[in-house]
């Protein structure tokens, strides 16, 4: 225990962690953070279109290619783990509008399987990654606290809200309390090109149009993925199983403003308004004061710096740019 009575793992060996979805955007940053913290990392990832083996190249971890809905596999992998971080998901809202089925399977059933396996194996700490989208649009200046009712506005968000209900059901029936983490929009390296920031960077670098849904006034908060990964480590160190945590970057911006900054940073591209996404949520907002206080966490990466570094990362990984 620390002097302020907070449980702290510092000094004891971290042990083995099962990280689902570790070949994806957030997972591949979390894998790096866990390794730097001394954890023995096992990644379970199906390598869907969104996951890439290359995201984990050169990292000293075990990658198991498989499905979070495969109960015997997940049960085998959770045995002996000190922690589970469940980041595997179908994550793209636009795809959920075209074909919700994989979202319902992976995000809901996959979460049930992972948490039931963690319960059966007696894993001390399981952390489920949820999203600010489970609340739906935040009216006025409201920022949702952890206990606010969930009112998801699209099929991705609904599947994530249902996944949270699985966390509750596992707690209620198996007596196993997992931690739920809701974060705002992450940005940084290794995000799939279909997501807004990489999409706008790619367009701006070509001097092409940057497509903006509707008016471009929909507001999102932006959190650097390394800050989020640091928050997850803080949970493993100091969090109590069963807590709900919110993480924000404190960078609430209209989509149009983010696209404009990217065009400036890339020295090209023009914003072009396209049809709005059906069921667009106009504003997401979370309160994260309690998490900051409980975990001693705060985001460190200023948005302008993080965005410039992200643009540079996409430029540097482009073989054409390197050859120039
Ligand atoms: N990216 C964000 O801004 C953001 C914001 C809030 C919450 N989240 C949540 O964080 C988590 C990670 O998001 P991300 O942006 O890294 O997503 P991502 O799409 O980049 O990565 C998801 C990973 O999960 C894997 N996967 C998909 N289905 C699987 C299955 N059935 N079995 C095993 N692996 C499977 C994919 O191969 C991929 O590697 C998700 O739960 C997402 O809902 C993300």
């Amino acid at each position: 225990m620390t002097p302020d009575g907070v449980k702290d793992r510092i000094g004891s060996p971290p042990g083995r962690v099962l990280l689902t979805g570790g070949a994806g955007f957030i997972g591949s940053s979390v894998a790096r953070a866990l390794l730097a913290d001394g954890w023995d990392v096992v990644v379970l990832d199906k390598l869907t279109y969104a996951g890439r083996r290359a995201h984990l190249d050169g990292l000293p971890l075990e990658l198991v290619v498989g499905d979070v809905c495969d109960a015997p596999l997940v049960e085998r992998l959770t045995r002996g783990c000190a922690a589970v971080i469940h980041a595997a998901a179908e994550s793209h809202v636009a795809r959920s509008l075209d074909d919700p089925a994989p979202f319902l399977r992976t995000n809901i059933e996959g979460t049930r399987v992972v948490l039931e396996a963690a319960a059966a194996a007696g894993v001390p700490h399981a952390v489920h990654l949820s999203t600010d989208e489970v609340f739906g649009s935040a009216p006025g200046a409201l920022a949702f606290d952890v206990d606010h009712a969930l009112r998801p506005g699209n099929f991705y968000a609904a599947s994530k809200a249902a996944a949270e209900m699985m966390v509750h059901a596992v707690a209620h029936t198996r007596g196993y309390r997992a931690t739920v983490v809701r974060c705002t929009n992450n940005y940084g390296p290794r995000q799939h090109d279909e997501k807004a920031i990489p999409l706008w960077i790619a367009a701006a670098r070509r001097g092409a149009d940057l497509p903006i849904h509707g008016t471009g006034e929909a507001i999102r908060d932006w959190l650097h993925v390394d800050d989020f990964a640091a928050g997850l480590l803080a949970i493993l160190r100091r969090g109590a199983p069963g807590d709900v945590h919110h993480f924000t970057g404190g960078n609430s911006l209209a989509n149009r403003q983010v696209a404009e900054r990217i065009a400036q940073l890339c020295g090209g591209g023009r914003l072009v308004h396209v049809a709005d996404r059906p069921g667009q949520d106009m504003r997401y907002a979370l309160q994260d004061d309690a998490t900051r206080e409980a975990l001693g966490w705060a985001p460190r990466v200023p948005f302008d710096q993080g965005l410039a570094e992200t643009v540079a990362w996409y430029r540097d990984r482009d073989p054409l740019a390197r050859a120039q």
Side-chain angles (χ1 to χ4, degrees):
M1 302 283 266
T2 58
D4 59 0
V6 177
K7 183 161 67 79
D8 203 312
R9 187 191 48 71
I10 295 170
S12 56
R16 188 150 65 92
V17 57
L18 175 65
L19 171 62
T20 72
F25 165 49
I26 291 178
S28 59
S29 282
V30 173
R32 285 164 172 78
L34 288 166
L35 290 168
D37 198 43
W39 290 83
D40 181 6
V41 179
V42 179
V43 165
L44 171 62
D45 198 295
K46 194 176 173 183
L47 297 182
T48 67
Y49 80 95
R52 295 186 61 190
R53 198 182 282 274
H55 287 166
L56 302 174
D57 269 358
L59 299 183
L61 51 72
E62 183 186 353
L63 169 61
V64 177
V65 178
D67 193 327
V68 287
C69 298
D70 179 347
L73 173 65
V74 177
E75 281 160 17
R76 181 169 66 74
L77 294 176
T78 45
R79 259 175 243 139
C81 282
V84 170
I85 296 184
H86 178 42
E90 287 291 339
S91 68
H92 192 42
V93 173
R95 285 177 185 261
S96 80
L97 302 180
D98 293 338
D99 183 11
F103 288 74
L104 307 188
R105 182 178 178 278
T106 290
N107 297 1
I108 306 173
E109 172 65 353
T111 298
R112 185 196 66 79
V113 167
V114 168
L115 293 181
E116 289 228 69
V123 175
H125 211 153
V127 181
H128 167 69
L129 267 58
S130 189
T131 167
D132 55 359
E133 297 201 25
V134 293
F135 294 115
S137 206
L142 179 70
F144 294 115
D145 65 34
V146 293
D147 295 321
H148 202 279
L150 310 188
R151 204 180 291 267
N154 59 62
F155 300 127
Y156 160 70
S159 72
K160 296 296 290 186
E164 289 201 24
M165 297 303 113
M166 289 297 159
V167 176
H168 285 288
V170 170
H172 202 61
T173 57
R174 315 288 187 219
Y176 184 78
R177 300 179 72 226
T179 296
V180 171
V181 170
R182 305 187 189 112
C183 60
T184 56
N185 273 20
N186 278 226
Y187 72 101
R190 293 180 297 278
Q191 190 168 27
H192 195 279
D193 296 342
E194 71 189 356
K195 301 285 170 55
I197 285 187
L199 187 100
W200 288 330
I201 292 174
R205 290 190 53 231
R206 293 195 312 271
D209 293 343
L210 280 66
I212 307 293
H213 284 130
T215 59
E217 297 305 324
I219 289 173
R220 303 291 183 259
D221 173 75
W222 295 94
L223 169 65
H224 194 279
V225 68
D226 289 344
D227 279 333
F228 182 49
L232 293 176
L233 283 191
I235 286 178
L236 295 184
R237 285 173 182 270
R238 294 185 284 279
D243 281 351
V244 179
H245 287 290
H246 283 182
F247 290 95
T248 79
N251 305 297
S252 239
L253 293 163
N255 288 339
R256 174 186 53 74
Q257 294 175 297
V258 178
E260 281 165 357
R261 286 187 199 197
I262 288 172
Q264 271 169 9
L265 282 166
C266 296
R270 191 174 59 100
L271 274 57
V272 169
H273 294 270
V274 298
D276 210 353
R277 186 176 270 169
Q280 176 74 280
D281 286 327
M282 288 310 289
R283 181 171 165 271
Y284 292 134
L286 298 179
Q287 276 178 34
D288 68 354
D289 319 38
T291 289
R292 290 182 187 224
E293 197 179 323
L295 301 180
W297 172 91
R300 289 169 186 271
V301 184
F303 184 65
D304 284 333
Q305 178 195 321
L307 191 62
E309 287 170 1
T310 303
V311 167
W313 185 86
Y314 281 94
R315 184 192 61 222
D316 293 346
R317 75 158 192 174
D318 182 342
L320 288 174
R322 280 201 300 271
Q324 283 165 4

